Amino acid sequence: MSYGKYKRAHVDETLPPPPPLTPAQRQRAAEMRDKWREAFGDDQLIRDLLDAGMIHGWRNVVSVTPIEAPDADS
């Protein structure tokens, strides 16, 4: 499923930009990114959500849980 069709036509200037990340928040965002890529590869979902204005990036990913266990194919 692609969320790319929900891209905003223009940037809403009334929404404030997200505050800068603290070092701890930056580390947590990097961990979420790494967990996502380990579980799902480098797919387009997060980029589509970002482009659609639904998230501010990896800072908004709160958990990564694959639906199936990695060895479920066996």
Side-chain angles (χ1 to χ4, degrees):
M1 174 178 217
S2 175
Y3 290 90
K5 65 182 178 182
Y6 298 107
K7 289 182 184 179
R8 291 185 272 175
H10 65 282
V11 175
D12 186 357
E13 297 295 333
T14 61
L15 293 176
L21 293 172
T22 65
Q25 291 170 324
R26 184 173 286 117
Q27 179 180 356
R28 189 192 149 285
E31 288 172 7
M32 290 296 103
R33 182 197 62 224
D34 294 343
K35 285 182 180 182
W36 180 274
R37 289 182 178 162
E38 180 181 321
F40 304 109
D42 189 21
D43 75 350
Q44 189 66 30
L45 176 65
I46 300 299
R47 286 192 237 21
D48 288 344
L49 293 172
L50 180 64
D51 291 344
M54 298 173 79
I55 64 171
H56 286 294
W58 290 108
R59 71 172 67 207
N60 295 119
V61 177
V62 295
S63 69
V64 176
T65 306
I67 295 172
E68 298 179 9
D71 60 347
D73 293 337
S74 304

